Amino acid sequence: MFPAEPVRREQTVRSIWNGAISFGLVSIPIKLVNATESRSVSFRQIHAADGGRIRYRKVCELDGEEVTQAEIGKAYEDADGTMIPITDEDLAALPLPTAKTIEIVAFVPAGDIDPLQMDAAYYLSANGVPAAKPYTLLREALKRSDKVAVAKYALRGRERLGMLRVVDDVIAMHGLLWPDEIRAPEGVAPETQVTVRDAELDLADALMATLGEVDISTLHDDYREAVEEMIAAKAAGGAGVAPPEPGEEGGGQVIDLMAALEKSVREAKESRGEPAVVTDIKSRPAKKTATAKKTAEKTTTTAKKTTTAKKTAAAKKTTATSKTAGTKKAAETKKATAKQAASKKAAPKKAAPKKRTA
């Protein structure tokens, strides 16, 4: 019979790789431990008719015989389908300096690592008492530098890229994909050119502000809990979970974006116990977009320059007029003075009176 509660296999914390961190000439013996675990509910395949377990057998396609794990090797399939056998000795002979070493190659700001490269996460544990001092040295150096270490290491038959950072008092390592393993986002963005209005952006901002922030540690898997409850109910002889009532709202195509945003803001406020009032953003003066702001600033600057130019031109004209008037007046004065001098020079001198004799 089914158990009353879904069975979860406890994952014991054990090292999956032993080696050392190469930090220049410093070698730090460590153990690699998985930092994450899967909590999802797993299912088995059964024969629907009688409930029998379905199992897989490893069979050779040439002779049809079932083979054991010890009889299974590995091969590379060529483009034409030819199988090229590869032995463990072949792989062991390859020059792989990181086979048992996490080799630190650089220290960079955490922001330089693209989140798309993030892969599996591990904890690095100091392996033995002598490793405690160099381990602590590297940990504190990472803390003080506010950087992460980029490293190369080998795991499960291939060389990988990793990032070392500090979590509490432990050095953690995130496996990274190689840069050429990240696909370019070509053909992913919408090809249709659309215009987003300021009012729509304002409502989106309001929705973001209403949803606010969240403590990620409080989030949990609702679907997994529902699956566990359904399994427990069926194990107890129940019918499981009732299907949803017809007519319940589900995902659909958004026709009126503004209406959907306004409704989302109202529902978010109601869920937080706030008054479900959406400010009429349409009646408010629209916010200037960056382009509009630049245009306005450019227009203002141009207007200021034009006004300044006009003032300067007027001032220059006034000065020029004043100078012209002054020059004209001086010329007239000079001319009058010259004329007066010429008149005096041309006038006949009066004869002195003759003295009478007795």
Side-chain angles (χ1 to χ4, degrees), residues 16 32-36 118-123 165 172-175:
I16 60 173
L32 196 67
V33 178
N34 281 319
T36 61
M118 295 291 187
D119 202 358
Y122 308 94
Y123 289 136
R165 69 184 183 96
M173 182 173 72
H174 296 268

Side-chain angles (χ1 to χ4, degrees), residues 21 116 228:
I21 301 175
L116 285 173
E228 291 175 347

Side-chain angles (χ1 to χ4, degrees), residues 291-306:
T291 305
K293 285 181 179 178
K294 287 182 179 177
T295 304
E297 289 173 359
K298 189 174 180 181
T299 304
T300 305
T301 305
T302 305
K304 286 181 178 178
K305 285 182 178 179
T306 303

Side-chain angles (χ1 to χ4, degrees), residues 219-235:
L219 301 179
H220 57 279
D221 189 345
D222 294 322
Y223 179 76
R224 188 192 76 212
E225 291 181 357
V227 170
E228 291 175 347
E229 290 175 4
M230 178 266 292
I231 293 173
K234 291 180 73 71

Side-chain angles (χ1 to χ4, degrees), residues 119-352:
D119 202 358
Y122 308 94
Y123 289 136
L124 304 182
S125 169
N127 191 3
V129 175
K133 180 67 180 283
Y135 182 97
T136 305
L137 172 65
L138 176 59
R139 182 191 67 197
E140 296 305 312
L142 284 170
K143 282 184 180 179
R144 191 166 71 172
S145 69
D146 199 25
K147 292 183 178 181
V148 296
V150 177
K152 294 170 70 176
Y153 66 103
L155 184 65
R156 299 188 181 97
R158 55 174 289 221
E159 190 171 54
R160 302 166 189 261
L161 196 62
M163 179 191 77
L164 276 62
R165 69 184 183 96
V166 178
V167 178
D168 295 334
D169 287 331
V170 176
I171 299 175
M173 182 173 72
H174 296 268
L176 300 177
L177 299 175
W178 295 100
D180 59 0
E181 292 179 318
I182 305 296
R183 292 179 176 176
E186 296 176 357
V188 179
E191 295 181 359
T192 306
Q193 296 294 328
V194 296
T195 302
V196 179
R197 296 177 293 166
D198 286 343
E200 293 167 338
L201 283 173
D202 290 340
L203 275 173
D205 290 341
L207 178 57
M208 292 169 64
T210 304
L211 292 174
E213 299 178 356
V214 67
D215 181 1
I216 294 183
S217 63
T218 63
L219 301 179
H220 57 279
D221 189 345
D222 294 322
Y223 179 76
R224 188 192 76 212
E225 291 181 357
V227 170
E228 291 175 347
E229 290 175 4
M230 178 266 292
I231 293 173
K234 291 180 73 71
V241 181
E245 294 293 332
E248 288 185 358
E249 293 184 3
Q253 184 178 3
V254 177
I255 298 175
D256 188 341
L257 184 58
M258 290 290 290
L261 286 169
E262 290 174 353
K263 184 178 179 182
S264 299
V265 173
R266 281 195 296 270
E267 290 180 353
K269 287 187 174 182
E270 287 174 355
S271 67
R272 292 176 175 271
E274 300 175 7
V277 178
V278 180
T279 306
D280 188 6
I281 297 177
K282 291 182 235 180
S283 63
R284 295 188 324 203
K287 293 181 180 178
K288 292 182 178 180
T289 59
T291 305
K293 285 181 179 178
K294 287 182 179 177
T295 304
E297 289 173 359
K298 189 174 180 181
T299 304
T300 305
T301 305
T302 305
K304 286 181 178 178
K305 285 182 178 179
T306 303
T307 305
T308 305
K310 285 182 178 179
K311 288 181 178 179
T312 305
K316 286 182 177 179
K317 188 175 180 181
T318 304
T319 305
T321 305
S322 300
K323 285 183 178 179
T324 304
T327 305
K328 189 176 181 181
K329 189 174 181 181
E332 289 176 353
T333 305
K334 187 176 180 181
K335 189 176 180 181
T337 305
K339 191 176 181 181
Q340 189 177 358
S343 299
K344 286 181 179 180
K345 188 175 181 181
K349 294 183 178 179
K350 291 180 179 182

